[in-house]
Amino acid sequence: MLDINETIQETMPRHLYKREFIETDTFEHHRLFGEMVVAVQNNGKGLEQIVFYDPNSIPLGKLLTKSEIIHLQDVSNLIASLNWISLALIVICLLILASIVFYRISMPALKTIIAGTIAIVCALGLVVLIVGAKKLFYWLHTIIFPKNHQWFFYYEESLMSMLMKAPELFGPVSLQLLFFGIVIWVLQLMLIRALIKLV
C-alpha cells in the first residue's frame, strides 16, 4: 500500500553508498525487511550478518551500517523493555480480576467501558492531530533513544529507512495495532464478564 518498491527505484540512483542494491528485486526487499524484524525481535542478534543478494543469489554486501545497527539494537532494547512492562500489566490485571471476583464487585456496563475507552482514544487522537504526528514522532525519539545515537536517516544514506519507508510506515502500523488491540480488549472484557457471572 505504501509503494515501497517505487520509493526504492526512485531513491537508489541517488544513494550515497550502496548503489549495488539497485540490482535486488522485490522478493529480496521482503526478505531483508523480514530479516530486520526477526533480528529486532531477537534482542538484535543477527543484525550485523544481514547480507543482500542479487536475483542469482550472488551476495552484494552488508545491508546495515554501524549507525543503523546501533539504532535497531536500541529499538530491540525498547521492545524488550515493553515486553516486561506488558507482563507486569498482565499480572496487575489478573490481580484486579481476582479482587473483582473475590469481593464480588460489579463491573460497569460493557457499553460504558467501551464508550469511555473510545473517548480516551479520540482525545489522544486529537492531541496527535493538534501537535502533529511527525513532530510528536520525532520528539518521542529524542526522549526514548540515547542522545549520542543516530535515529534519523535519509533514504539516500540508509537502506534500512528506505526499505521501511520510514517514518510513513509507522502510521499504518500504529492504526493496525490500535484496531486489533481494541478488538482483543473488547473480547477480553466480554470473557471477563462471562466468567464473573459463572462464579
Side-chain angles (χ1 to χ4, degrees):
M1 288 175 64
L2 292 174
D3 221 350
I4 292 174
N5 284 321
E6 185 179 322
T7 302
I8 292 170
Q9 294 305 316
E10 288 175 4
T11 307
M12 274 317 301
R14 302 191 307 272
H15 203 274
L16 299 175
Y17 309 114
K18 302 182 180 183
R19 295 194 177 185
E20 58 274 19
F21 191 81
I22 195 71
E23 297 178 38
T24 59
D25 58 18
T26 303
F27 175 80
E28 181 66 355
H29 302 159
H30 294 172
R31 187 192 69 80
L32 292 167
F33 196 112
E35 290 277 328
M36 285 191 289
V37 170
V38 168
V40 166
Q41 293 289 343
N42 195 26
N43 298 317
K45 291 176 185 171
L47 286 171
E48 294 180 7
Q49 284 76 45
I50 300 175
V51 173
F52 59 95
Y53 298 86
D54 73 5
N56 296 315
S57 300
I58 296 170
L60 299 173
K62 293 276 181 86
L63 178 70
L64 303 170
T65 64
K66 186 176 180 181
S67 296
E68 291 170 321
I69 291 168
I70 290 170
H71 175 60
L72 289 175
Q73 184 63 59
D74 288 340
V75 172
S76 182
N77 296 341
L78 174 65
I79 290 171
S81 299
L82 292 174
N83 287 340
W84 283 109
I85 291 169
S86 297
L87 286 173
L89 290 173
I90 288 170
V91 170
I92 290 168
C93 287
L94 289 173
L95 291 172
I96 291 171
L97 180 59
S99 299
I100 288 170
V101 171
F102 184 78
Y103 293 108
R104 299 194 179 278
I105 300 168
S106 60
M107 285 180 65
L110 195 59
K111 289 180 184 176
T112 305
I113 295 172
I114 293 171
T117 302
I118 290 172
I120 291 169
V121 169
C122 288
L124 291 172
L126 188 61
V127 169
V128 171
L129 287 174
I130 292 169
V131 174
K134 193 174 183 179
K135 190 174 180 182
L136 186 62
F137 179 79
Y138 288 167
W139 176 76
L140 285 171
H141 275 65
T142 63
I143 299 299
I144 293 169
F145 298 118
K147 288 184 179 180
N148 59 338
H149 290 188
Q150 183 179 353
W151 54 264
F152 181 86
F153 300 86
Y154 289 102
Y155 292 172
E156 289 80 7
E157 66 178 12
S158 169
L159 296 178
M160 172 193 73
S161 288
M162 188 175 59
L163 270 172
M164 293 192 299
K165 201 172 182 179
E168 289 181 41
L169 175 76
F170 303 120
V173 169
S174 299
L175 291 174
Q176 287 177 4
L177 288 172
L178 178 65
F179 173 76
F180 287 110
I182 289 173
V183 168
I184 291 167
W185 181 71
V186 169
L187 291 173
Q188 287 174 335
L189 283 176
M190 293 168 67
L191 179 62
I192 288 167
R193 288 180 67 83
L195 287 172
I196 289 171
K197 286 179 183 177
L198 289 174
V199 176

